[in-house]
Amino acid sequence: KDYMKYQPQGFSESDLFVCESRYFCKQKSMKKIKSWNIQYKYQPTLVQRLTPCSLNKIPSVFVSGNESNSSRSDRNSIEPLEQVPVSETMEQDSVCEQIQAEHDIQRDRDSNEDVDDIKTEKKENEDEEDEEDSLMSNILEMSFIEDLKEVPATVLNPEENHTYFEQYCIDDKLFRLGDFVCVRSDQQHPFIARIDRMWTDVNDDPWFHGPWFVRVGEIEHVPTRMFYEREVFLSNIQDTNPMRSIMRKCVVLYPTEYCKLRLTEIPESDVFVCECKYNEVDKSIKKQKGLKQFQLSDSVLRNEIYYLPEELYMWKCHSPKLYPKTTPIPITSPVSQQSSVQPLSLPATPTTAPLITLPTATGHFTLTLQQLQSLIASQLAGGKPTLTPVSQTPLSVPQSSNTTPLGISNTHNSILAYPCVWDGCSEIFEDSLDLGAHILRSSHLRFESDGFYCYWNGCPRTKEHSGRPFDTLQKITRHVKEVHMLRVVPRQVSVDQLGTNFHRRGVFL
């Protein structure tokens, strides 16, 4: 379009060319260019043509020359033959056969020569393509090195002998204002910070200044609060650090961006989500509208963004303070089979011994911790499991035929589980996360004539109690998560009731 309307000043018509497609050397294919975003260092001045010119497409130079229609018609035309004697006809046939044989030999020679020429030409073309690819890679490498240049920045109230930058390259690593980085630390995970300002001092040492992002385990909160899986919080504390302490780059996204896009240079393990800010003084958590955006100049190299084919749905999980990790108690194996089996001794506590529920193919059976240790030690020694009572109330083992595969009778006929208390549902789950996924993914949250109603047992927002309905699915989902799921507690469920309605942990993962 520009070629037909405009003409660059100072260029002759013979030096103007048209580019419509991009050619890929390896695939031997072409693709049309949708937008022309090439920037020139010296932009020519375009002058509008007096009369717009037209573009006519011509056949490719690789099209073989076809014979004209007139020659074809001449070849196909048949002329009448004169009457020739039979003897002369036989002689002519023999001569024609000899000439045809000579032509066949010559054609074979020519074909061999053509094959050799084609191979030679193909090899020359491959060498030319390799040279073009190497030249193109060198050009791209040179252009990338040019992009890794330092871009100065203008700031308000600059300090003396400080040079500020929008883009800075150190150790072949490119950093821009607004980038998120992982900083070295003496803890298990590196610190997360954002670059709000970059500069070099008198000694040409690079520094950056910006806020910190803290993880869930580093803030004070109630144990019942739920968080995203990789959630961090914007701290109100800002700090200045040397840029040589940066380990690598990471990215922190707002939830709406986290569900839609990723940066191609950042691995998934270094992608975090931030929805709230954390005040280190009063230990409060507040939601924010979005993360800070930086307006950079055109000289700064932009990030490459990949948009996900489908938006992700983010789930909130329990706080690590709600279910703290416990260190397993080691069990020592006996030295020999003749040695007596000594189960591990635990310090006596005034409370009752903890119970451990073990799943089997037929159901569940419950043991105390000391019984489980004694059972494992007996199996390691190769003997039969012997169980002895460990508390004032001994664990009675009635004589019955219903025994578990380990040889222990199931005396406790109930387990801790999470039954679904939605109206008309009898499903039972081993984990509360599976219960929440069941409610949100099943047909429980369905739209009725005037909105969504909550039929959780005891909830007043039902249609029978004339409760106010929810107008959107998002609101009733938040209601179920924050009002009911945070207060759910396990219940004692009889083993006899466990059937096809009982679901193991991780059924919805």
Side-chain angles (χ1 to χ4, degrees), residues 10-26:
F11 291 87
S12 61
E13 196 69 29
S14 60
D15 295 334
L16 301 183
F17 300 91
V18 179
C19 180
E20 186 186 27
S21 304
R22 181 182 288 107
Y23 179 71
F24 301 93
C25 298
K26 293 184 178 180

Side-chain angles (χ1 to χ4, degrees), residues 378-432:
S378 300
Q379 287 184 341
L380 293 176
K384 295 183 178 180
T386 57
L387 299 179
T388 57
V390 294
S391 60
Q392 295 296 331
T393 304
L395 195 66
S396 60
V397 183
Q399 299 295 330
S400 62
S401 59
N402 296 329
T403 58
T404 62
L406 295 178
I408 304 171
S409 298
N410 189 3
T411 59
H412 296 269
N413 294 326
S414 62
I415 63 171
L416 293 176
Y418 297 86
C420 181
V421 294
W422 201 269
D423 187 19
C425 185
S426 60
E427 302 294 326
I428 303 175
F429 297 88
E430 190 178 6
D431 196 340
S432 61

Side-chain angles (χ1 to χ4, degrees), residues 5 12 16 56 61 69 80 86 97 140 148 165 188 192 216 226-227 253 292 294 296 309 328 349 394 399 416 481 486:
K5 295 180 180 180
S12 61
L16 301 183
N56 299 324
V61 295
N69 296 329
V86 180
E97 291 177 359
L140 292 175
L148 295 180
F165 300 94
Q188 182 181 2
I192 302 174
V216 176
M226 301 185 72
F227 304 94
L253 301 173
K292 183 179 179 181
F294 291 81
L296 304 178
T349 56
Q399 299 295 330
L416 293 176
K481 286 183 178 180
L486 289 179

